[in-house]
Amino acid sequence: MSLISTTGLGVEHGGVEVLSGVDFTISKGEIVTVVGPNGSGKSTLIRALIGLEPAATGQVHRAPGLSIGYVPQRLHIDATLPMTVRRFLSLPRRVSDDAATAALLRCGVEGLEARQMSRLSGGQFQRVLLARALLAKPDILILDEATQGLDQPGVAAFYRLLEDVRQETGVAVLMVSHDLHVVMSASDRVICLNGHVCCQGTPHVVSAAPEYRALFGLGTGGALALYQHVHDHDHDHDHGPEGHGHDHAHPQDAPTSAGHPHA
Amino acid sequence: MLDDFLTRAGLAGVGLTLATGPLGSFVVWRRMAYFGDATAHAAILGVALSFGFGISVYVGTLAVALAMAITVATLAGRGHAMDTTLGVLAHSALAFGLVAASFQSGLRVDLSAWLFGDILSVSRGDLAMVWGGALMVVALLVWRWQGLLTATVNDELAQAAGLNPRHERLALTIALALVVAVAIKIVGALLIAALLIIPAASARQFTRTPETMAIGATLVGAASVLLGLAASLRLDTPAGPSIVAASTCLFAASLLAPRPKA
């Protein structure tokens, strides 16, 4: 059953096309990772899916009564605003103490109720955001670069947490990442976006390969995987006369075997 | 009891702080201090127009403050730099207000009362207006509290939860205009923003949740009013500025208090 789907979605910012012809769907319990370089329209896609941004062309369809748990890209709580973790969990809907305690425990940040939000570490902050999102009993979790600012073991731990939550509750997970090659290994699908869908596929779990060990060390427990881009087109029309393909748009090309075989 | 001008002054000031506590907290959280200033300065234009057209000062001030707040919000939404927009509008509203006031001979004499307030001349009718306006603001804020707070934390978080941050902004804009309209008589157009910001900033020092900060700001504000009035009586100083000076002293004292840990 499709929770959110788009057909031929296009979005414009001030007359400039940011997204075009995006066909997207995510089903119950599915984990989908969207990757793409900076400015590729990832956040715009998320915003359009949530309904924060109107579609210029095409359609966005959300299942009726869909509950979305949203974890934003950057959340800055102004130092002038006193806010305990407990109080934050009750925004915008008040939740019981028991539910709040359980949500924090589930996300591995138990006992932080009385702590000020501004005093949390990056990892704790993201887990509290996730706990808040889970309290709405969402059908789908939408995370916009939620692992920004976490180190690699922190990212891996966060991915494992999401995987467990999916296992327990059957929640679908849509995650956006600016890391083009290293994705959550539990992703059922990876979508590479660059104004349009460049390619889709499954992540390449290579935990046995020595390159993987070299990249991720041993502490990440298989939560990370590589995604191999297979683009069936290049971007001559986007990038001027040199006719170079996607390498240009993927500056973070990892120093691994997972390069860019262009068909 | 209401026959005593000092009692009326105290009651009017305390009534006003019911609204300025929570509203001032939002002004501080959302960094709207200059926005509050602009709205308050526009009130002078409202006073001048009210005298010109022979309408109630409360109605005239409310209308102009509201128009000002909406203009600022609209211009800022169109991508003009907020501080420039406010700088232009706040000072030009004050200037136009002073020019308009100069056309009315009676008002020219009395202008300082509108710039700095005249809390000691508050009538029973004024008292009713202040309490009525303040309670309306409190009711508005309490009604929308969860949404206002969520939108203050993050617009997108609010949007994803199905709230509309524009509505929350509008609610604050209306509340601000209401407070300006009822406060101009008490502290005057130049010092309204001080009564919004200083007590809230003091309360921040010793609170851990938004709600306690809002209540704390009201308590600090009420204490400022009473201390300021007492000082004004004893030292024969102007009441409005004395109230603001008292709140500044309380703010300085709050800086010495230990901040809550964690």
Side-chain angles (χ1 to χ4, degrees):
Chain A
M1 192 189 91
S2 173
L3 297 175
I4 308 181
S5 61
T6 71
T7 44
L9 173 69
V11 179
E12 293 178 357
H13 287 168
V16 179
E17 198 173 64
V18 183
L19 284 179
S20 64
V22 175
D23 294 322
F24 170 88
T25 182
I26 182 164
S27 307
K28 211 165 176 291
E30 209 180 3
I31 298 184
V32 176
T33 296
V34 176
V35 300
N38 290 333
S40 59
K42 301 184 300 277
S43 290
T44 305
L45 174 63
I46 294 289
R47 292 174 56 80
L49 293 178
I50 296 175
L52 308 184
E53 197 128 15
T57 55
Q59 276 155 2
V60 178
H61 179 76
R62 281 181 290 277
L66 184 74
S67 167
I68 296 174
Y70 178 56
V71 179
Q73 182 172 15
R74 271 182 221 92
L75 186 64
H76 171 75
I77 293 189
D78 200 284
T80 60
L81 176 58
M83 181 70 76
T84 57
V85 169
R86 175 67 189 87
R87 183 67 190 87
F88 179 73
L89 293 178
S90 272
L91 288 178
R93 269 169 276 284
R94 295 190 185 274
V95 295
S96 70
D97 283 344
D98 288 347
T101 305
L104 290 177
L105 181 66
R106 182 66 209 90
C107 294
V109 280
E110 62 273 20
L112 287 187
E113 283 94 338
R115 195 79 74 82
Q116 286 288 307
M117 290 295 289
S118 52
R119 299 280 176 91
L120 298 179
S121 72
Q124 287 172 331
F125 198 92
Q126 290 306 330
R127 284 161 183 262
V128 169
L129 287 184
L130 181 64
R132 194 202 70 93
L134 287 174
L135 279 166
K137 301 209 180 334
D139 303 303
I140 179 169
L141 277 172
I142 297 185
L143 303 99
D144 191 355
E145 303 200 14
T147 57
Q148 239 178 15
L150 301 187
D151 59 11
Q152 216 162 48
V155 171
F158 193 73
Y159 285 173
R160 273 199 301 276
L161 171 61
L162 284 174
E163 205 179 327
D164 292 347
V165 167
R166 193 262 304 250
Q167 206 75 44
E168 286 164 26
T169 63
V171 69
V173 179
L174 173 62
M175 182 152 44
V176 162
S177 168
H178 65 283
D179 197 323
L180 290 167
H181 301 289
V182 181
V183 300
M184 182 175 175
S185 59
S187 307
D188 297 304
R189 271 185 301 138
V190 179
I191 297 173
C192 172
L193 199 69
N194 195 5
H196 54 272
V197 175
C198 282
C199 63
Q200 299 199 37
T202 50
H204 194 47
V205 181
V206 286
S207 54
E211 291 94 335
Y212 179 89
R213 293 260 172 81
L215 259 182
F216 306 133
L218 296 168
T220 52
L224 305 178
L226 294 176
Y227 175 65
Q228 190 158 359
H229 294 253
V230 186
H231 297 159
D232 57 2
H233 59 285
D234 60 21
H235 283 191
D236 288 353
H237 53 287
D238 288 347
H239 296 297
E242 297 95 341
H244 49 208
H246 252 200
D247 294 348
H248 175 74
H250 290 178
Q252 300 140 310
D253 240 354
T256 68
S257 55
H260 274 182
H262 289 269
Chain B
M1 178 179 97
L2 293 180
D3 291 338
D4 180 29
F5 74 97
L6 208 56
T7 309
R8 285 199 302 271
L11 281 175
V14 170
L16 179 62
T17 61
L18 286 180
T20 53
L23 184 61
S25 299
F26 277 108
V27 169
V28 167
W29 298 332
R30 300 174 72 107
R31 310 205 163 211
M32 291 165 67
Y34 213 3
F35 188 85
D37 247 349
T39 310
H41 288 180
I44 283 294
L45 185 57
V47 170
L49 293 178
S50 307
F51 276 85
F53 292 109
I55 54 170
S56 153
V57 171
Y58 288 116
V59 174
T61 326
L62 180 62
V64 174
L66 204 53
M68 178 68 162
I70 288 171
T71 308
V72 172
T74 312
L75 283 178
R78 285 201 198 143
H80 292 263
M82 190 64 167
D83 60 341
T84 310
T85 308
L86 287 170
V88 170
L89 289 176
H91 300 116
S92 51
L94 185 59
F96 275 108
L98 294 174
V99 168
S102 75
F103 287 118
Q104 284 135 36
S105 48
L107 193 56
R108 197 189 310 189
V109 179
D110 208 22
L111 197 58
S112 77
W114 299 107
L115 287 173
F116 300 108
D118 193 7
I119 193 172
L120 298 179
S121 74
V122 164
S123 68
R124 281 162 183 260
D126 291 327
L127 201 52
M129 287 304 287
V130 169
W131 275 81
L135 289 176
M136 271 170 71
V137 168
V138 171
L140 180 66
L141 294 182
V142 168
W143 171 44
R144 305 202 69 90
W145 189 262
Q146 285 285 92
L148 280 168
L149 209 52
T150 309
T152 299
V153 167
N154 184 276
D155 267 359
E156 291 186 353
L157 216 58
Q159 279 178 300
L163 299 164
N164 187 342
R166 296 171 73 112
H167 293 169
E168 311 305 337
R169 267 197 293 278
L170 185 65
L172 284 180
T173 304
I174 292 170
L176 199 55
L178 262 171
V179 161
V180 166
V182 299
I184 189 165
K185 183 107 191 190
I186 296 175
V187 284
L190 294 183
L191 295 176
I192 291 170
L195 206 57
L196 285 168
I197 293 156
I198 300 174
S202 314
R204 173 65 187 100
Q205 299 299 319
F206 52 85
T207 50
R208 302 173 42 82
T209 62
E211 288 78 12
T212 50
M213 176 163 157
I215 294 167
T218 288
L219 294 178
V220 173
S224 307
V225 167
L226 299 178
L227 285 172
L229 279 177
S232 160
L233 196 67
R234 188 168 290 243
L235 307 171
D236 195 24
T237 50
S242 301
I243 289 170
V244 173
S247 76
T248 307
C249 293
L250 291 177
F251 173 70
S254 79
L255 291 179
L256 301 176
R259 268 203 163 193
K261 288 194 199 74

